[in-house]
Amino acid sequence: MDILKFLTAGSVDDGKSTLIGRMLYDTESILQDQLEAIQNSSRKNDDGSIDLAILTDGLKAEREQGITIDVAYKYFQTEKRKFIIADTPGHIQYTRNMVTGASNADLAIILIDARKGVIEQTIRHSYLVSLLALEHVVVCVNKMDMVDYSEEVFEKIHADYHSLAVKLNLHEVTFIPVSALKGDNIVNNSLNMPWYKGKSLLDHLETVPVREMDALLPARFPVQWVIRPQTEELHDYRGYAGRVASGAFKVGDTIKVLPSGMRSKIAKIETFDGEHAIAEEGKSITMHLEDEIDISRGDMISEAERQPIVSNLIEADICWMDTRELDTSATYFIQHNSKLTRCKIQEILYKVNINTLEKVNADAFGLNDIGRVEIKTADELAFDPYETNKRNGGAIIIDSRTNVTVGALMLRAAL
Amino acid sequence: MDYLDQLEAEAIAILREVAGQFEKPALLFSGGKDSITLVKLAEKAFRPGKFPFPLVHIDTGHNFPETIEFRDKLVAQLGEKLIVGYVQDSIDQGKVIEQTGKNASRNALQTVTLLDTILEGKFDACIGGARRDEEKARAKERIFSVRDEFGQWDPKRQRPELWNIYNGKIHKGENVRVFPISNWTELDVWNYIKRENIELPSVYFAHERDVIMRNGQWMAASEYLNMDEEDIIIRKKVRFRTVGDMTCTAAVESDKDQIDDIILEISQSKISERGARMDDKVSEAAMEDRKKGGYF
C-alpha cells in the first residue's frame, strides 16, 4: 500500500470542509467518540443533520471565528491506499498556507461552486498549483444539487476551466461533478447524475498513479550528517547519512561531490538493516565512498552523468510569507535541502497578479506576493530547476533577525 | 515504496536534521509505544554511531512500574544516556501544587518539570512522539515547532513548513519541539512495531489487573489514584492502548495478548486512541490550551 498526499483548495463557502468531512464520514474514518463530540456541538445544518465541516475545524480560535487559520493535516485510509489531506484555507490572505500545503502534495482538489463557476479565486488556486508543479489536479464542481444536477452547468465550467488549465500548463486535470453536502460522486457514483460516466472522487484518488516519472530523474543525495563512531573497532568508519532526494544510486556508481566537484565511486550503501545494492528516491541511507574526501553536511552527492546547476547567482520564483516586506538590501538565510547559507535577494524582476496572471512592476513585495527575483548566495547551491526536479529545486528564505521562514523559492536557473 | 518504508525514511531524515541543525538536542522518552518507536528510529538514523542526544524522561512519579522497569532495561541495552526530571522535585520546591480530589492527576504539573529540565539541560531541540492524527490541536502542529522562552505554542504564529525543509533557527532561550512521526497514525505505529519486532512494556498486552470504574472508564487501582468507599475494585483482564500516568490513562477490556490480535482490535475499534485519555476530556480545547502552556 502507498500514500497519496493531497490538498484541498477552496473557501469555506465552496463547501471544502464539508467535502473533507464527507470523505472521512463515508469512508468510516470517524470514530464514535469523535462523532459524539460533533453531535454534541451546537452547530447543525438547516435540516438538523450534523455539520460535517466541524470535523476539520481544529482550534478554539477557529471555531470562535468560524474560519480555518492554518494548514491542518487529516489522515484516512481505504483498502487501496493511505491518504494525507492538507486542508488549507482559501481566503486571499492565506496564499502562504496554500503554498505550504501544496509543497508537500501530489495532487490538488480545486473546488468550484457550480452556481458561481470559474472565479478569481479559482484562478488564484490554480496558479499556485501550477507554480508548485503538482502532478495532478482534480476539479470538483460542487453544489451540483443546487443547480438541479445540470449537465449543462457542469460542461460550461469544464470548458471554462480547460482554457485556464492550458494557460497554466496544467496537464493532468480531471473533472468531477459532486455534492459534498448530499454525498453525490464523493465515495459512490451519484444516481442523480447518470450523465456522468467517470469515477467518483474517492475512486479516482484511490487509483491515480503517483510519482511514475520519478525513477527517470537524475540521482541526488544531500548529505545531512556524517556518521563517525571513532571507536576502536570502527576507527575508519565514515558514512554519509541522508535521504535520496531523487533518482537512484547503485554501488559502484561514479559520483561527484558538489560544490567541490570531487569525484569518487560508491563503495557501499547501507541502512541499519544491512547493505543494499541500490538506493532509490525517498530512502534514508548511509553512503560510503571509495576515496577519502572531505564531505560535510550541506554538500550534495550527485550522479556524475547528469549534474545539477552549481551557482551562487540564481533566478527564482518566490512566494513571500511574512508581514514584513521583502528587503533587497537585507541579508537573509537560504536553506536548500541540508544546505544553509546567507543570501541577498538582489532584484525583484516582476510580481504576478495572481488573479489575472499579469506580470506587474514591483516597488514593494509583501505578504502573499509572488514573483520572480534574482538571488546572490554566499556559498554556491547545487540545484535543479524546480519544474524539472522539485525534490532539488525548492528552497526557503529565513529572516536572519526573526529566524522566521519568510519566503518559498522555486529555483529556476543560474544567472 | 511501501507506506511504512516511506514513513520510516521520513522520520529518519527528520532525526538527522535535528542532529545537523541543533547543538543540544534531546529525545523525550515517556516509555510509551510512540517514544519507543522513536528510539528504534534513532538507532536506524545514527548507528553504528552513538545517538547525538540523550533520552530525557519526565517522571511524574505516577508511572506504571512496568514502564519504568522497561525504560531502565532499554537504556541499558542501548548504551545511551538517560536524564530524568522528577515532578516530585517540582512539588518539593513549591513550583507546582499537587491537585486534590478524585480526579487529581500530575499530568498538568509535568509541564513545569519539563520546562525546568529543558532549561537545566540547555536543550535547544526536544524530539517527541506526538502524532497529528491523535488530536485536533496536534493536527495543526508543525514537524519543527518553535516554542518561546515560556515553552508556549502559538498556533497563529507557526512557521510555514515547505517540502522537506525544516527551519530550526531559533533565538537564545527558545527551543524547538520536533515530531518525527507526525504523519504516522496509531495503526501505522502498531504495524511498524510488529514489522520491526519492537519490544513494548507489558501493560500494552492483556493482563489481569485491579481496576475501578471512573467516568465510564476503567482505571488502574493504585496508590496514586485518590479512591474512596464508593470506588469498587474489580479484577479484570485489560490492556492499555495509550500509556501515560496511572491516574489519567484508562484501560480497555481485552483478552488480546498477541500483537496481531491487538492490531485487529484497534483497527475495528469505534473509539479513538485519546478517547482513553482523561486529560483530553477536561474541555473541548484541553489539548490546545495545554500546548499553549508548554505541553506537547
Side-chain angles (χ1 to χ4, degrees):
Chain A
M1 200 186 310
D2 62 355
I3 304 179
L4 177 79
K5 296 180 178 177
F6 68 93
L7 116 130
T8 49
S11 73
V12 182
D13 309 329
D14 298 326
K16 180 172 60 73
S17 298
T18 309
L19 179 95
I20 295 172
R22 170 61 67 186
M23 255 189 291
L24 297 174
Y25 188 78
D26 285 0
T27 52
E28 293 176 20
S29 308
I30 300 159
L31 297 164
Q32 193 187 326
D33 55 324
Q34 296 166 327
L35 208 53
E36 275 166 17
I38 300 164
Q39 274 156 351
N40 291 338
S41 164
S42 51
R43 249 168 71 189
K44 291 273 157 48
N45 288 321
D46 297 339
D47 62 359
S49 59
I50 58 164
D51 183 353
L52 292 173
I54 299 175
L55 286 170
T56 59
D57 288 359
L59 308 175
K60 192 161 65 177
E62 292 169 89
R63 286 193 299 279
E64 281 161 8
Q65 296 164 37
I67 54 154
T68 324
I69 56 169
D70 216 334
V71 187
Y73 295 91
K74 291 274 161 195
Y75 302 79
F76 74 104
Q77 79 180 85
T78 64
E79 278 172 17
K80 294 185 183 140
R81 213 169 228 177
K82 290 178 71 75
F83 298 96
I84 302 179
I85 315 175
D87 180 16
T88 60
H91 302 286
I92 184 157
Q93 63 268 41
Y94 294 116
T95 293
R96 132 190 152 140
N97 290 340
M98 188 173 152
V99 168
T100 303
S103 76
N104 274 314
D106 309 303
L107 178 148
I109 295 177
I110 292 183
L111 270 165
I112 297 180
D113 186 329
R115 298 168 303 175
K116 295 181 189 155
V118 175
I119 54 174
E120 213 174 73
Q121 175 187 273
T122 319
I123 300 173
R124 195 158 67 223
H125 292 161
S126 304
Y127 173 71
L128 295 178
V129 166
S130 95
L131 184 73
L132 273 291
L134 268 67
E135 288 169 75
H136 305 274
V137 176
V138 179
V139 174
C140 279
V141 180
N142 192 24
K143 304 198 181 180
M144 288 301 292
D145 57 309
M146 314 271 287
V147 295
D148 295 326
Y149 298 104
S150 158
E151 183 177 8
E152 221 174 293
V153 170
F154 176 70
E155 287 304 333
K156 165 88 172 58
I157 293 171
H158 189 312
D160 288 350
Y161 192 89
H162 182 74
S163 45
L164 177 66
V166 170
K167 203 162 154 190
L168 288 172
N169 211 6
L170 297 169
H171 14 85
E172 271 282 327
V173 187
T174 304
F175 296 82
I176 305 176
V178 304
S179 165
L181 189 67
K182 309 284 181 192
D184 294 284
N185 286 336
I186 302 295
V187 170
N188 300 309
N189 274 78
S190 167
L191 297 174
N192 295 314
M193 291 174 273
W195 47 265
Y196 173 72
K197 305 291 182 214
K199 289 177 174 172
S200 72
L201 176 61
L202 185 72
D203 194 5
H204 179 71
L205 295 177
E206 282 182 329
T207 50
V208 63
V210 281
R211 301 184 167 193
E212 269 185 326
M213 303 298 288
D214 287 355
L216 304 172
L217 290 173
R220 306 281 184 255
F221 182 74
V223 175
Q224 289 183 282
W225 180 251
V226 182
I227 298 178
R228 295 207 64 184
Q230 288 172 312
T231 54
E232 212 143 292
E233 65 269 32
L234 292 168
H235 192 264
D236 295 324
Y237 186 103
R238 196 180 174 89
Y240 304 107
R243 193 176 187 195
V244 180
S246 67
F249 290 92
K250 290 192 302 293
V251 173
D253 280 359
T254 303
I255 57 91
K256 207 163 175 184
V257 181
L258 299 166
S260 76
M262 305 282 281
R263 274 169 181 267
S264 186
K265 276 188 176 169
I266 299 176
K268 191 162 79 172
I269 294 170
E270 66 174 346
T271 63
F272 184 71
D273 301 297
E275 288 191 28
H276 307 267
I278 184 166
E280 290 132 330
E281 187 207 304
K283 293 258 197 241
S284 281
I285 57 157
T286 303
M287 196 185 279
H288 297 258
L289 300 180
E290 283 184 359
D291 308 277
E292 260 193 48
I293 28 183
D294 182 27
I295 301 177
S296 52
R297 175 178 164 82
D299 285 340
M300 160 86 65
I301 295 177
S302 157
E303 62 170 67
E305 290 288 308
R306 295 169 295 174
Q307 292 174 24
I309 299 168
V310 178
S311 176
N312 70 337
L313 283 171
I314 301 163
E315 191 169 321
D317 282 320
I318 190 166
C319 171
W320 197 251
M321 303 183 141
D322 198 37
T323 45
R324 209 195 288 233
E325 284 181 359
L326 189 161
D327 181 352
T328 47
S329 67
T331 300
Y332 293 97
F333 288 109
I334 181 169
Q335 196 174 339
H336 168 249
N337 284 318
S338 57
K339 178 75 186 178
L340 182 77
T341 181
R342 289 178 189 274
C343 77
K344 276 191 170 164
I345 304 167
Q346 300 193 121
E347 202 178 337
I348 303 168
L349 300 176
Y350 57 81
K351 188 152 92 176
V352 175
N353 177 334
I354 60 169
N355 297 318
T356 60
L357 308 181
E358 284 167 328
K359 291 172 188 171
V360 292
N361 271 341
D363 337 316
F365 211 87
L367 179 64
N368 295 316
D369 279 343
I370 291 173
R372 181 67 61 103
V373 293
E374 286 180 9
I375 297 169
K376 184 179 192 175
T377 58
D379 298 344
E380 288 177 316
L381 300 187
F383 70 96
D384 291 287
Y386 186 81
E387 66 276 17
T388 64
N389 184 358
K390 63 178 174 180
R391 325 240 174 256
N392 192 35
I396 59 169
I397 297 284
I398 299 166
D399 189 313
S400 53
R401 296 157 296 186
T402 61
N403 289 331
V404 170
T405 304
V406 292
L409 291 171
M410 277 62 60
L411 308 176
R412 300 295 183 191
L415 281 169
Chain B
M1 210 190 325
D2 176 68
Y3 75 95
L4 282 180
D5 291 333
Q6 208 173 321
L7 293 169
E8 178 192 72
E10 178 183 68
I12 292 171
I14 293 164
L15 287 168
R16 287 169 171 173
E17 278 306 290
V18 175
Q21 291 196 33
F22 297 93
E23 276 169 30
K24 261 204 116 185
L27 188 149
L28 293 181
F29 183 82
S30 71
K33 66 178 191 319
D34 298 308
S35 60
I36 292 168
T37 299
L38 280 183
V39 168
K40 170 57 81 179
L41 291 164
E43 285 188 272
K44 295 211 177 199
F46 302 111
R47 292 290 185 246
K50 295 278 263 182
F51 291 0
F53 39 68
L55 308 186
V56 169
H57 182 221
I58 302 306
D59 187 346
T60 59
H62 288 176
N63 293 96
F64 288 89
E66 293 93 331
T67 308
I68 299 297
E69 201 181 298
F70 182 90
R71 175 196 77 188
D72 294 339
K73 201 178 89 188
L74 181 69
V75 168
Q77 273 170 10
L78 287 169
E80 300 287 347
K81 189 177 171 195
L82 173 75
I83 295 168
V84 183
Y86 295 95
V87 172
Q88 188 62 50
D89 289 350
S90 305
I91 294 171
D92 295 344
Q93 291 159 12
K95 288 184 170 169
V96 292
I97 295 168
E98 187 110 57
Q99 293 178 357
T100 55
K102 261 193 133 169
N103 294 320
S105 155
R106 287 184 169 182
N107 183 277
L109 311 187
Q110 65 179 329
T111 299
V112 174
T113 315
L114 171 65
L115 297 180
D116 280 352
T117 309
I118 290 172
L119 198 65
E120 216 166 286
K122 298 193 173 65
F123 298 123
D124 50 2
C126 295
I127 303 157
R131 307 186 321 267
R132 285 173 181 152
D133 83 316
E134 279 181 88
E135 208 279 335
K136 59 198 171 193
R138 285 191 169 159
K140 311 230 157 177
E141 182 65 274
R142 296 290 187 261
I143 289 175
F144 272 33
S145 177
V146 179
R147 305 302 173 94
D148 65 14
E149 240 175 293
F150 305 95
Q152 295 186 101
W153 179 64
D154 183 350
K156 288 188 183 172
R157 290 190 50 203
Q158 299 198 83
R159 295 175 179 177
E161 204 158 67
L162 294 120
W163 300 288
N164 49 2
I165 304 173
Y166 307 106
N167 172 6
K169 283 217 151 283
I170 48 170
H171 293 294
K172 216 174 157 57
E174 291 176 336
N175 66 81
V176 176
R177 306 286 172 89
V178 180
F179 305 111
I181 59 168
S182 284
N183 284 326
W184 300 40
T185 64
E186 182 190 15
L187 263 180
D188 296 337
V189 173
W190 278 104
N191 281 317
Y192 188 72
I193 287 168
K194 181 188 160 190
R195 187 182 92 170
E196 300 292 321
N197 220 347
I198 298 171
E199 206 185 324
L200 290 182
S202 55
V203 290
Y204 280 106
F205 302 94
H207 58 284
E208 295 268 342
R209 184 179 284 273
D210 287 341
V211 291
I212 61 162
M213 180 61 88
R214 271 286 168 83
N215 307 321
Q217 307 243 39
W218 293 112
M219 305 298 291
S222 74
E223 55 185 303
Y224 314 126
L225 198 64
N226 291 338
M227 293 188 281
D228 57 30
E229 56 281 0
E230 279 174 31
D231 293 312
I232 305 157
I233 295 178
I234 306 171
R235 191 132 184 107
K236 276 199 169 294
K237 197 146 199 190
V238 296
R239 63 176 179 81
F240 291 86
R241 189 170 164 191
T242 165
V243 173
D245 269 3
M246 294 189 82
T247 55
C248 71
T249 338
V252 287
E253 275 192 82
S254 168
D255 59 359
K256 304 292 186 270
D257 54 9
Q258 297 300 317
I259 190 151
D260 285 302
D261 296 329
I262 290 173
I263 289 174
L264 191 67
E265 199 167 81
I266 291 168
S267 61
Q268 290 169 345
S269 170
K270 299 260 179 269
I271 304 283
S272 74
E273 181 181 11
R274 292 202 78 93
R277 293 299 282 254
M278 310 310 288
D279 40 332
D280 286 354
K281 301 210 161 172
V282 180
S283 75
E284 220 189 328
M287 177 67 86
E288 183 180 345
D289 293 342
R290 276 182 299 158
K291 280 172 75 70
K292 284 177 183 163
Y295 190 74
F296 264 83

